[in-house]
Amino acid sequence: MTSWDKCLSYIKKELAQSPMAYDTWFKPIKAISLKDEVLTIQVPNHFFFQFLEDNYIHMLSQALQSVIGKNARLEYQFRSAEGMPSVKDRQGEKIDVDKIENPFIIPGIKSQKPDHQLNAKYRFDNFVEGDCNRLARTAGMAIADRPGKTAFNPLFIFGEVGLGKTHLAQAIGNEVVTKHKNLSVLYMSTEEFMNETIAAIRKNSVDNMLDFYKALDVLVIDDIQFMTGKVKLQEIFFNIFNRLHQANKQIILTSDRAPKDLNGLDDRMISRFKWGLSADLERPDLETRMAIFHNKMEEHGVTASPQVVEYICHNLTENVRELEGVLVSLIAQSSLMGTEITLDLAKRVVLNFIKEVKTEITIEGIQETVGDHFNLSVDLIKGRSRKREVVLARQMAIYLSKQLTSKAYKQLGDEFGRDHSTIIHSFRTIQDLLDSDPSVKAAVSSLEKKIKMQVNV
């Protein structure tokens, strides 16, 4: 067995819970040479290399060091022979996986301006706004303009996994760094903060640590829920929180739950978390998911048809990370196979992320369901009849089509043989009747349930 085969065995064990990740990102790699503890591997393209660097560099480092030795180094080559140099040529030096910089700040070094530890890719301009996050994003932008001087201190961002809490928190930090170059900003996960605290306690330097944090202008702590049950950690953070807040320094916290649901956290802390603004990030609706997906495609420099985007976003409803995972897999597979991102490829990839694919709600299906409900043919609903019962059925079909699909008014006009203004009028007519006519409200509710039941939404 070669050294690289041994490395692969190590990595496969580490990814035992994610076999698809192993198949996608490690099987295509080809070992080229091993010389003087420098392993050269060949990857398909630059995107592949960048993804490995961003997500698996630590695992690669551990694998190489366990198999080759502590001085092991890694060099990449791109598979395409023309136009793409090796990483050595591109960067001017080999990548030394044993010398990854420790990102943690050493408390007590007052002369050292802290590295903010923010990821530059998290910005406001690529954080898609929707009803699901508008309050939090708006507050974040106000904070970035005037950190510590708004009513949003602390800003407590909470929501389920993968909805953009880290993105938003770091976007605020990055905007502060850009607009207020004289201010010191620090982003840390709760785990990193806990490691710093343990180190300070061991070295009897807690006072120095407190002085260090007191000098910050903006402190961002991610996943504050991991402080639950850790009494000493809470005590030290409580002290830091009070010092910063009293000095009008900005505090930004994220959590997977609201302050009131943080069982195991000191009541005094929970009370202080409520001093500012608690902003909930909810699951994005279809339109917002599609906008997010388009944004991600632009970042990666890829394109896909509207049908592909709508299919993916219709089926992936839980969080943004699912969308990112599908896009990464699509790019990887289309790159390896040398094909475009097609609907068939999207369907195969989506099946790896969800248990059951939803059947898409179509305009034709809505028209048929409405027709059955009112005992009218689809042709009659789409026709020119002005009979009251036909007009009402037509308007309900238009309203439900707008509510249950991602079609724009113009597209609905094409489906119903009507102009743009007529579609808008029909939609608003039913909107008004829902508030004033109980029979219309009951009919629309019943039809919506039937349509969703038919496609298992």
Side-chain angles (χ1 to χ4, degrees):
M1 181 182 288
T2 66
S3 296
W4 178 239
D5 288 333
K6 292 178 181 177
C7 289
L8 286 178
S9 296
Y10 177 96
I11 292 167
K12 193 170 187 178
K13 288 179 182 178
E14 292 293 309
L15 293 175
Q17 301 300 316
S18 305
M20 190 176 72
Y22 174 82
D23 290 343
T24 301
W25 298 108
F26 292 97
K27 270 191 174 181
I29 296 174
K30 181 180 178 182
I32 301 299
S33 65
L34 174 61
K35 184 178 180 181
D36 298 330
E37 295 187 298
V38 177
L39 177 67
T40 301
I41 60 174
Q42 187 184 78
V43 296
N45 49 44
H46 179 270
F47 170 80
F48 207 98
F49 150 71
Q50 193 62 57
F51 190 87
L52 288 174
E53 284 286 293
D54 290 344
N55 296 275
Y56 294 114
I57 185 62
H58 290 283
M59 189 181 297
L60 279 166
S61 172
Q62 292 166 0
L64 263 66
Q65 290 173 11
S66 68
V67 173
I68 300 171
K70 65 178 183 179
N71 295 319
R73 293 186 299 174
L74 185 64
E75 183 175 341
Y76 296 83
Q77 287 183 358
F78 297 116
R79 184 167 298 166
S80 53
E82 297 180 2
M84 281 291 191
S86 70
V87 172
K88 179 180 178 182
D89 292 332
R90 187 173 65 85
Q91 294 188 335
E93 60 181 2
K94 294 182 176 70
I95 296 173
D96 189 341
V97 296
D98 193 40
K99 294 183 179 178
I100 300 169
E101 292 185 5
N102 185 340
F104 300 147
I105 304 300
I106 302 174
I109 304 179
K110 300 178 183 178
S111 62
Q112 175 187 349
K113 185 177 180 180
D115 173 11
H116 50 65
Q117 299 184 170
L118 296 163
N119 189 328
K121 75 177 182 179
Y122 294 129
R123 308 182 308 276
F124 279 118
D125 62 8
N126 61 7
F127 184 88
V128 177
E129 181 178 309
D131 292 339
C132 55
N133 58 33
R134 184 167 288 113
L135 173 63
R137 188 179 188 276
T138 302
M141 294 181 73
I143 288 169
D145 286 335
R146 301 171 60 240
K149 296 180 174 60
T150 71
F152 314 133
N153 195 20
L155 175 64
F156 192 98
I157 306 168
F158 68 96
E160 297 175 11
V161 172
L163 295 182
K165 300 185 296 296
T166 297
H167 187 149
L168 180 56
Q170 292 209 40
I172 299 169
N174 278 314
E175 192 74 3
V176 172
V177 169
T178 301
K179 290 184 174 180
H180 309 278
K181 299 186 185 302
N182 60 318
L183 299 186
S184 57
V185 180
L186 179 62
Y187 165 85
M188 298 187 84
S189 68
T190 296
E191 181 183 6
E192 290 169 341
F193 180 77
M194 181 171 64
N195 292 337
E196 291 289 349
T197 303
I198 293 170
I201 292 171
R202 286 176 177 171
K203 297 175 182 177
N204 294 317
S205 61
V206 173
D207 288 341
N208 284 339
M209 178 180 177
L210 295 176
D211 288 341
F212 173 83
Y213 281 97
K214 184 181 178 181
L216 296 172
D217 295 295
V218 179
L219 175 62
V220 184
I221 300 288
D222 214 350
D223 290 324
I224 200 74
Q225 73 273 6
F226 292 127
M227 282 195 191
T228 56
K230 300 175 175 67
V231 177
K232 187 63 177 178
L233 184 68
Q234 291 180 38
E235 181 184 326
I236 291 175
F237 181 72
F238 180 78
N239 195 321
I240 292 170
F241 184 102
N242 283 342
R243 290 190 183 203
L244 289 175
H245 198 275
Q246 289 167 10
N248 293 321
K249 305 296 181 68
Q250 183 66 48
I251 304 164
I252 301 166
L253 308 170
T254 77
S255 172
D256 64 356
R257 67 205 79 162
K260 64 181 179 64
D261 297 322
L262 288 169
N263 300 322
L265 212 59
D266 191 293
D267 289 341
R268 298 177 304 167
M269 289 246 287
I270 294 175
S271 174
R272 279 158 176 74
F273 293 166
K274 296 177 182 177
W275 281 354
L277 173 68
S278 295
D280 185 8
L281 296 188
E282 300 175 345
R283 296 181 184 180
D285 56 24
L286 177 61
E287 288 79 5
T288 305
R289 294 198 302 275
M290 290 177 68
I292 291 170
F293 198 79
H294 277 293
N295 219 0
K296 298 295 180 185
M297 287 197 301
E298 286 182 12
E299 288 179 7
H300 290 294
V302 298
T303 59
S305 69
Q307 291 78 13
V308 168
V309 175
E310 185 170 348
Y311 176 83
I312 292 168
C313 296
H314 178 73
N315 281 284
L316 297 172
T317 61
E318 295 299 312
N319 57 57
V320 177
R321 286 185 195 167
E322 283 186 337
L323 296 177
E324 291 177 326
V326 166
L327 179 57
V328 167
S329 292
L330 281 173
I331 295 171
Q333 294 197 33
S334 65
S335 175
L336 292 172
M337 294 185 296
T339 62
E340 295 181 351
I341 297 176
T342 63
L343 184 58
D344 285 341
L345 178 59
K347 288 179 178 180
R348 292 199 300 272
V349 169
V350 166
L351 282 173
N352 292 321
F353 286 79
I354 59 176
K355 293 180 180 178
E356 182 179 349
V357 174
K358 296 176 184 176
T359 304
E360 184 180 359
I361 295 176
T362 64
I363 305 297
E364 293 83 356
I366 292 172
Q367 291 169 342
E368 289 175 3
T369 302
V370 173
D372 290 343
H373 182 85
F374 288 99
N375 197 24
L376 300 170
S377 69
V378 172
D379 287 340
L380 191 57
I381 289 175
K382 294 172 66 175
R384 295 294 170 181
S385 172
R386 300 302 302 166
K387 290 184 178 179
R388 185 179 182 280
E389 64 271 19
V390 177
V391 172
L392 182 62
R394 182 184 301 131
Q395 290 174 335
M396 283 190 186
I398 290 171
Y399 174 84
L400 288 164
S401 295
K402 181 59 180 170
Q403 288 291 87
L404 299 178
T405 75
S406 61
K407 303 294 184 184
Y409 286 119
K410 184 179 184 307
Q411 292 172 300
L412 292 180
D414 294 339
E415 296 283 354
F416 282 88
R418 299 294 190 278
D419 61 27
H420 180 268
S421 59
T422 302
I423 296 296
I424 294 176
H425 172 74
S426 298
F427 180 81
R428 290 177 178 171
T429 297
I430 297 300
Q431 263 190 328
D432 293 340
L433 288 173
L434 288 174
D435 295 328
S436 60
D437 190 330
S439 64
V440 170
K441 185 176 182 179
V444 169
S445 177
S446 174
L447 284 165
E448 185 171 346
K449 287 179 182 177
K450 286 180 182 177
I451 293 165
K452 288 183 175 181
M453 191 178 300
Q454 289 168 358
V455 296
N456 296 317
V457 173

